[in-house]
Amino acid sequence: PVKCGLPTLGPNSAFAEETATPKTFSHTVAIRCHPGYALEPEAGAVAAFEATCEANGAFSGMRECVNVDDCAGVECGEGKCVDNAKPTGNHPEDYHCQCNSGFEELIDEVSRARACHNVDDCPAASTCLPGTCADLINDYECVCPEVGYHPGNHKCERNQCQATPAVANSDA
C-alpha cells in the first residue's frame, strides 16, 4: 500500500484526534482549526476539514485556517473596529474598538459588545456652581442660571453691576 504518513499542518490548525496515526492510500485524517480560526473569515464558517492520502503518496484537500473577522457587523460608533491578530475563539475578546479623540471603549455588561462612548469631561467638583455642567466632546461648558450669572472660562461668573451713569442736574 502507498504510505502518506501524516500531513504537514498549517500554523492555525491541529489534528482533530488526539493521536493521529499515519495514513495509507484512500484513508483520511480529520483536521480542525484553532479557536478563532476557520476556513473562511466569516463568523460561523466551517472550522474543520479532511485530507485524503492519494496514490502518489501526497495528501489532497489540505486547507488553510484563517483568522475569523470578528469586526464583521460590529458598530463601534465614534471609532473603528480592529480585529485582534491572535484570536482566542471568544468573540467579545477577539476585537476592540479604536475610538476617536474624546471617546473611550466601554463593554456592555450583558452582551459583552464593545462600543465607543463620549468621555465625561465635567469635573467631579463642578466649577459651574450655581449652574450645571454640560459635557461636550473633549470639553464641557457651564449652563448658568438665567438671572445674575453668565458663562465664562468653564465657570458661572456673577454679573457685575454697572456704574450709575451721571445724570444732568442731579446729585447722583
Side-chain angles (χ1 to χ4, degrees), residues 150-162:
H150 65 277
N153 198 24
H154 290 112
K155 60 185 174 183
C156 286
E157 295 178 348
R158 201 179 272 280
N159 291 338
Q160 299 297 317
C161 293
Q162 298 296 321

Side-chain angles (χ1 to χ4, degrees), residues 85-104:
K86 294 285 184 186
T88 65
N90 180 3
H91 173 67
E93 299 300 321
D94 287 344
Y95 74 94
H96 65 277
C97 292
Q98 188 175 13
C99 301
N100 298 339
S101 178
F103 293 84
E104 65 183 342

Side-chain angles (χ1 to χ4, degrees), residues 15 47 51 63 86 103 125 145-146 171:
F15 294 112
R63 304 279 306 272
K86 294 285 184 186
F103 293 84
E146 289 183 26
D171 290 336

Side-chain angles (χ1 to χ4, degrees), residues 22-109:
K23 303 300 176 190
T24 57
F25 175 65
S26 78
H27 289 105
T28 60
V29 61
I31 300 170
R32 62 172 172 75
C33 298
H34 290 164
Y37 292 88
L39 299 179
E40 301 292 331
E42 292 81 27
V46 175
F49 60 96
E50 288 186 341
T52 304
C53 176
E54 298 295 340
N56 64 0
F59 281 93
S60 65
M62 290 299 292
R63 304 279 306 272
E64 182 180 340
C65 296
V66 296
N67 186 349
V68 172
D69 180 8
D70 289 288
C71 285
V74 172
E75 292 293 328
C76 285
E78 293 292 328
K80 68 177 185 175
C81 182
V82 178
D83 194 30
N84 293 346
K86 294 285 184 186
T88 65
N90 180 3
H91 173 67
E93 299 300 321
D94 287 344
Y95 74 94
H96 65 277
C97 292
Q98 188 175 13
C99 301
N100 298 339
S101 178
F103 293 84
E104 65 183 342
E105 180 186 66
L106 295 178
I107 302 171
D108 184 273
E109 291 181 19

Side-chain angles (χ1 to χ4, degrees), residues 109-161:
E109 291 181 19
V110 177
S111 69
R112 306 300 300 152
R114 297 164 181 265
C116 297
H117 295 271
N118 185 15
V119 173
D120 186 355
D121 298 303
C122 288
S126 182
T127 59
C128 293
L129 293 175
T132 57
C133 182
D135 184 41
L136 304 173
I137 297 172
N138 283 326
D139 200 7
Y140 68 94
E141 66 183 7
C142 293
V143 179
C144 303
E146 289 183 26
V147 178
Y149 292 89
H150 65 277
N153 198 24
H154 290 112
K155 60 185 174 183
C156 286
E157 295 178 348
R158 201 179 272 280
N159 291 338
Q160 299 297 317
C161 293

